[in-house]
Amino acid sequence: MGTSQSISPGVSGDPNWGQTSSAVSNFANSIDKEIRSPSILNNPKYNTKRDAKLKNILNKYIKAAGGRRGMSSGKSSKGGKAAITTASSFGGFLNIVSSGNLNSYAEDKGLTNFATRSKEEIINFLLDDICGATTNFDEGAAKSALDKLLNELLNDVNSSGEIDELLQSKIAKEGIDSILISFFGTYIFEHLSQPIEEKLFERKGEEVCNRTMDEIRDFIDSELETINSTEGIDIINWDNPSDCERISKKIFDNVLKVFNNE
């Protein structure tokens, strides 16, 4: 529960976050019922209402974090800015990897003897290089999201050579834009869960809390499976930092639009 990157969001008393918290608690009540009466999941009408509750959570969350346009433009003070900054840097990094220059990139950035480094050392290096220090809640959520994504992407590898090979393969197969969709989905979950999860744990207990948060994460992932990440993007050039930011903002907007089309 929680992450080492978590920083207090300071949202106590914020009515918009309060509505998000209430929506999560409402869904947690459903999870509690399902634990006690699993057969309820065989009811189509119940499942329709269940899906509506999950959609309501994400809709309330986006409003609480500054709205779709505020978040995707980086202008909201409540969320999104750090996600865009991190995605822009991460996209540029993935572009370097796709060119076969991961080793020289790491050496130039100060990670000497790259070939002998462990996966943990490389991930920690990338987190510091791409995200920098975390000074607020939004930055903490973005760094935590990248940490989780990198560990998921590199779960089955150990050596630096395997990391380079796997990342190049994923980029060639899925594209940088698709990897950034996964990052933004993970960011949304991290940014949503950090102000809410601890209180939910205290109110509902470990089992209900964990299952509730797992369901929210799975819902986010499933909703983003068919997204068109490049909708509205004419040219993708990851070599240019300003283009990286522009593209990241558009991909983020496409992601948020899945949950809130206002």
Side-chain angles (χ1 to χ4, degrees):
M1 185 180 67
T3 71
S4 60
Q5 304 295 341
S6 178
I7 296 176
S8 174
V11 297
S12 178
D14 186 316
N16 291 313
W17 278 106
Q19 290 178 18
T20 307
S21 181
S22 295
V24 173
S25 294
N26 186 23
F27 182 70
N29 290 336
S30 297
I31 294 293
D32 196 12
K33 290 178 183 178
E34 293 164 17
I35 292 172
R36 290 183 279 109
S37 303
S39 62
I40 197 172
L41 288 167
N42 296 326
N43 186 328
K45 289 184 178 179
Y46 174 82
N47 285 319
T48 298
K49 291 180 179 179
R50 188 182 196 273
D51 287 347
K53 289 180 179 181
L54 283 164
K55 291 176 182 177
N56 185 49
I57 289 170
L58 272 298
N59 186 51
K60 295 290 187 186
Y61 155 72
I62 292 172
K63 289 181 178 179
R68 177 171 67 85
R69 291 179 177 84
M71 291 182 73
S72 64
S73 66
K75 294 180 180 179
S76 170
S77 62
K78 297 180 180 181
K81 185 175 182 179
I84 293 167
T85 301
T86 300
S88 300
S89 297
F90 187 40
F93 162 76
L94 292 174
N95 182 59
I96 290 171
V97 173
S98 70
S99 303
N101 295 316
L102 176 56
N103 196 320
S104 58
Y105 169 85
E107 295 279 350
D108 290 344
K109 292 283 188 173
L111 188 68
T112 56
N113 303 314
F114 177 76
T116 63
R117 296 287 186 168
S118 68
K119 178 173 70 175
E120 289 73 21
E121 287 178 311
I122 293 171
I123 288 177
N124 288 333
F125 156 74
L126 291 175
L127 289 173
D128 289 339
D129 183 60
I130 293 172
C131 301
T134 54
T135 60
N136 58 47
F137 166 55
D138 191 30
E139 291 172 356
K143 193 168 189 177
S144 180
L146 184 60
D147 186 10
K148 290 193 174 183
L149 179 60
L150 286 172
N151 276 285
E152 289 171 8
L153 288 172
L154 305 176
N155 182 55
D156 296 325
V157 301
N158 292 298
S159 69
S160 60
E162 289 177 334
I163 289 172
D164 194 1
E165 183 179 345
L166 176 65
L167 287 177
Q168 287 198 53
S169 175
K170 284 187 175 290
I171 293 166
K173 182 180 179 181
E174 302 174 14
I176 293 173
D177 51 322
S178 293
I179 296 174
L180 290 189
I181 287 175
S182 296
F183 165 74
F184 282 124
T186 307
Y187 164 81
I188 287 171
F189 178 75
E190 289 297 304
H191 195 255
L192 162 65
S193 65
Q194 287 184 18
I196 289 171
E197 189 172 3
E198 186 174 350
K199 289 184 178 179
L200 184 65
F201 182 91
E202 292 172 355
R203 293 192 197 116
K204 302 293 183 180
E206 183 175 6
E207 182 178 12
V208 172
C209 175
N210 289 345
R211 286 185 58 169
T212 298
M213 302 315 297
D214 286 347
E215 288 279 350
I216 294 172
R217 179 61 203 268
D218 289 346
F219 175 74
I220 292 171
D221 291 343
S222 66
E223 290 293 292
L224 295 180
E225 282 182 355
T226 58
I227 183 177
N228 180 359
S229 61
T230 56
E231 179 186 350
I233 301 174
D234 297 325
I235 300 173
I236 296 181
N237 178 11
W238 295 106
D239 292 316
N240 187 319
S242 62
D243 276 357
C244 286
E245 180 179 356
R246 175 182 63 83
I247 296 163
S248 295
K249 285 180 177 179
K250 186 57 185 176
I251 292 174
F252 192 24
D253 188 60
N254 289 342
V255 166
L256 293 171
K257 198 181 297 182
V258 172
F259 307 106
N260 183 301
N261 199 24
E262 294 181 358

